[in-house]
Amino acid sequence: MKPRDATKMDWEVELGLIIGKTCRYVEESEALNHVAGYVLVNDVSERAFQKERGTQWVKGKGCDTFCPTGPWLVTPDEVGDVHNLDMFLDVNGQRMQTGNTKTLIFNVAKCISYISQFITLQPGDLVITGTPPGVGEGKKPNPIYLNAGDTMHLGVSKLGEQRQTVVAFTLEGQEIIE
């Protein structure tokens, strides 16, 4: 659902990982032993909330219905080389992102190790790793943003595919506490 007052809603196909056992100050060489499995994630972002309404990016990432994850969790033994998975994302049938996890700026083990230096990762925690080029904000000559009615189709090899249709903001069906 497009949030109320959203003007720059964007897409990001990403590799996600689910932590399988507690990790705190984990060494990079041991980090992958803490992974329960991998998931496909659409890290939907509202860029105006992130960049034009203060300095914290989290408010542009945590809106209701953002971050669709799945369709399933795939165990590391089924995935094989997590650093060689093809990725894609289409908007309204047009390819916007094509990539591979081998081009991640930081590999999965480095991400886990780094994060665990600051917060303890618990079983079930979701870590999202990064996206290939082609987000709407980066389109030239003009950015492209999502609107109600737009459809996204995305996938990561071995992890499945997702489809979403953007809907307009509504309060219908929500309990409002005053």
Side-chain angles (χ1 to χ4, degrees):
M1 179 173 56
K2 187 171 182 177
R4 183 171 58 190
D5 301 325
T7 58
K8 297 178 178 175
M9 192 168 148
D10 206 347
W11 57 83
E12 298 181 38
V13 61
E14 298 201 25
L15 169 69
L17 60 100
I18 305 294
I19 296 297
K21 62 182 182 178
T22 302
C23 59
R24 177 183 304 115
Y25 297 100
V26 69
E27 295 297 324
E28 196 171 326
S29 62
E30 294 296 317
L32 295 182
N33 295 330
H34 292 77
V35 175
Y38 299 96
V39 293
L40 165 63
V41 176
N42 186 355
D43 190 15
V44 178
S45 304
E46 171 46 45
R47 305 295 186 199
F49 290 5
Q50 285 180 305
K51 298 179 178 184
E52 298 169 18
R53 296 178 71 178
T55 58
Q56 280 294 325
W57 277 36
V58 71
K59 65 187 167 295
K61 298 280 189 178
C63 300
D64 292 344
T65 75
F66 280 20
C67 200
T69 302
W72 48 73
L73 175 130
V74 182
T75 58
D77 61 310
E78 294 176 295
V79 169
D81 183 3
V82 71
H83 297 110
N84 191 20
L85 303 175
D86 292 326
M87 311 166 79
F88 76 90
L89 186 141
D90 300 338
V91 176
N92 299 326
Q94 182 179 355
R95 183 63 40 103
M96 296 294 182
Q97 289 185 281
T98 303
N100 188 290
T101 57
K102 66 185 169 192
T103 64
L104 289 170
I105 295 171
F106 302 107
N107 69 38
V108 172
K110 185 166 203 64
C111 290
I112 295 168
S113 177
Y114 184 77
I115 293 167
S116 78
Q117 307 306 304
F118 304 99
I119 61 172
T120 300
L121 294 168
Q122 301 287 345
D125 283 351
L126 170 64
V127 175
I128 305 171
T129 59
T131 193
V135 297
E137 180 179 57
K139 293 294 182 186
K140 304 292 183 204
N142 299 308
I144 300 170
Y145 297 110
L146 295 165
N147 290 297
D150 288 341
T151 61
M152 292 170 283
H153 174 216
L154 59 147
V156 174
S157 59
K158 300 185 181 182
L159 302 183
E161 297 183 9
Q162 298 179 3
R163 294 179 192 278
Q164 293 102 29
T165 299
V166 179
V167 296
F169 174 80
T170 179
L171 285 176
E172 187 174 311
Q174 296 182 20
E175 182 179 333
I176 300 173
I177 300 171
E178 297 185 42

